[in-house]
């Protein structure tokens, strides 16, 4: 809450702001897109699947006819299409004030089963594209007089867990924001990481475990002091705060949003 009693969830917070979200047709990215549009932002969003983007665009147009949403099917690991999307999003929205690197994931399994390609692919789908996306967006943020970059990392970036290639790539994102904050600060560009804990997303891994193996889910819940997993909406609120002027004093930071989670997965150490 601010002195005037307004939180960043208020409609006025993003009026006129132009934000691009990489990886936003479902899961956390969808909640970020929904929150930003609800607060008055113009949003550009990409994902690999055109069907998912189309479904989200149709739903949002029905719910919020005045919403300005520009979408395109782009795989962020493909150098070229990602940078073109940044250029076209800036042209479509009339500039950029903020970007969110939300897409992420992992390839391969444990060390002896994971190939060199699994390691390099996992790097590219988290840290590698984040660097290219930020580099492509910087000229537009600079032209806007400054801006905010939010990188979705993970508590796996510093808590040991299976699939070391994933935690390693998330750690790289967290380090990246601390270095780039110094490099981009003179242009009034802030950059921060948000590290979600295990999110309860309808249809995804932990929600499936909750329905299909309630005993295992109950054991996993003991990793959280309040016995509840964090929701993607709660994570999106922190992303919106970091994109907003309310967080003008924050750059180079990594903010966990995890309800105090201990081990980063149900198979954690
Ligand atoms: N889920 C969790 O509990 C959790 C916990 C900690 C951190 N995180 C991090 O939070 C972020 C979002 O997680 P999530 O579970 O919400 O992800 P998700 O459901 O797998 O995907 C989120 C969005 O990103 C898009 N996407 C995925 N890969 C993409 C790519 N290569 N190019 C373009 N778009 C892509 C997806 O659409 P398409 O599939 O159609 O491309 C979807 O719209 C990730 O960085 C993840 O590592 C997640």
């Amino acid at each position: 809450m601010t002195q005037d009693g307004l939180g960043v969830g208020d409609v006025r917070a993003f009026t006129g702001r132009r934000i691009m979200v990489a990886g936003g047709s479902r899961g956390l990215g969808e909640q970020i897109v929904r929150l930003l549009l609800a607060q008055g932002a113009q949003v550009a969003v990409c994902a690999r699947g055109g069907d998912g983007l189309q479904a989200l665009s149709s739903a949002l147009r029905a719910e919020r006819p005045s919403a300005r949403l520009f979408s395109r099917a782009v795989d962020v690991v493909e150098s070229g299409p990602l940078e073109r999307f940044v250029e076209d999003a800036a042209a479509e929205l009339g500039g950029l004030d903020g970007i969110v690197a939300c897409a992420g994931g992992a390839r391969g399994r444990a060390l002896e089963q994971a190939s060199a390609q699994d390691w390099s692919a996992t790097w590219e789908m988290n840290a590698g594209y984040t660097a290219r996306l930020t580099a492509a967006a910087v000229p537009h943020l600079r032209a806007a007089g400054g801006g905010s970059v939010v990188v979705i990392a993970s508590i796996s970036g510093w808590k040991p867990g299976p699939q070391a290639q994933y935690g390693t790539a998330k750690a790289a994102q967290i380090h990246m924001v601390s270095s780039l904050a110094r490099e981009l600060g003179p242009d009034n560009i802030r950059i921060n990481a948000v590290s979600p804990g295990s999110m309860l997303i309808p249809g995804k891994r932990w929600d499936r475990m909750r329905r299909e193996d309630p005993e295992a889910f109950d054991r996993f819940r003991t990793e959280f002091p309040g016995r509840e997993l964090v929701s993607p909406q709660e994570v999106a609120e922190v992303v919106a705060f970091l994109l907003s002027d309310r967080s003008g004093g924050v750059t180079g930071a990594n903010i966990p949003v995890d309800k105090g989670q201990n081990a980063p997965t149900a198979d954690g150490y």
Side-chain angles (χ1 to χ4, degrees):
M1 280 295 178
T2 60
Q3 282 179 340
D4 57 3
L6 297 174
V8 289
D10 296 292
V11 171
R12 281 175 283 169
F14 284 91
T15 301
R17 294 294 169 96
R18 303 149 301 182
I19 315 282
M20 197 211 125
V21 180
S25 62
R26 58 189 161 78
L28 172 59
E30 175 185 351
Q31 296 309 321
I32 295 169
V33 168
R34 284 180 172 278
L35 186 57
L36 293 173
L37 287 173
Q39 294 176 9
Q42 302 172 36
V43 178
V45 60
C46 72
R48 289 165 302 183
D51 290 350
L53 284 172
Q54 190 54 49
L56 180 64
S57 298
S58 304
L60 288 170
R61 277 201 192 93
E63 291 167 28
R64 198 175 290 282
S66 62
R68 181 102 184 266
L69 183 70
F70 172 63
S71 68
R72 180 181 295 167
V74 174
D75 187 337
V76 296
V77 303
E78 287 181 14
S79 188
L82 177 65
E83 287 81 353
R84 273 197 296 282
F85 181 61
V86 173
E87 294 307 312
D88 293 347
E92 186 73 22
L93 303 182
L96 287 176
D97 302 294
I99 59 169
V100 183
C102 183
R107 290 283 178 274
R109 306 193 78 78
L111 183 65
E112 289 172 284
Q113 287 85 48
S115 64
Q117 287 79 9
D118 290 331
W119 275 79
S120 54
T122 302
W123 168 270
E124 192 54 38
M125 71 177 68
N126 294 282
Y129 95 85
T130 296
R132 287 188 294 105
L133 172 66
T134 306
V138 159
H140 300 287
L141 301 175
R142 192 184 285 132
S148 174
V149 178
V150 179
V151 177
I152 306 301
S154 168
I155 62 169
S156 295
W158 66 96
K159 288 172 184 276
Q163 285 183 299
Q165 62 273 34
Y166 178 68
T168 303
K170 290 304 194 185
Q173 287 181 308
I174 293 166
H175 184 88
M176 192 187 303
V177 304
S178 65
S179 292
L180 292 185
R182 299 300 181 104
E183 195 170 326
L184 302 177
D187 285 321
N188 196 29
I189 298 170
R190 296 183 296 112
I191 177 166
N192 292 287
V194 168
S195 285
S198 303
M199 293 180 281
L200 196 60
I201 298 174
K204 286 206 75 173
R205 183 175 176 191
W206 309 121
D207 183 47
R208 287 201 306 275
M209 179 193 253
R210 182 169 64 94
R211 285 182 284 110
E212 293 164 11
D213 191 349
E215 283 182 15
F217 186 73
D218 271 348
R219 278 195 302 278
F220 182 36
R221 288 197 329 162
T222 64
E223 300 291 348
F224 301 80
R227 302 289 182 266
E228 296 293 337
L229 280 65
V230 71
S231 72
Q233 289 86 353
E234 288 169 319
V235 179
E237 289 285 354
V238 178
V239 173
F241 170 68
L242 290 171
L243 288 170
S244 78
D245 294 341
R246 313 276 194 209
S247 58
V250 186
T251 192
N254 170 41
I255 304 193
V257 189
D258 63 355
K259 299 246 187 197
Q261 182 172 359
N262 186 26
T265 79
D267 318 308
Y269 301 117

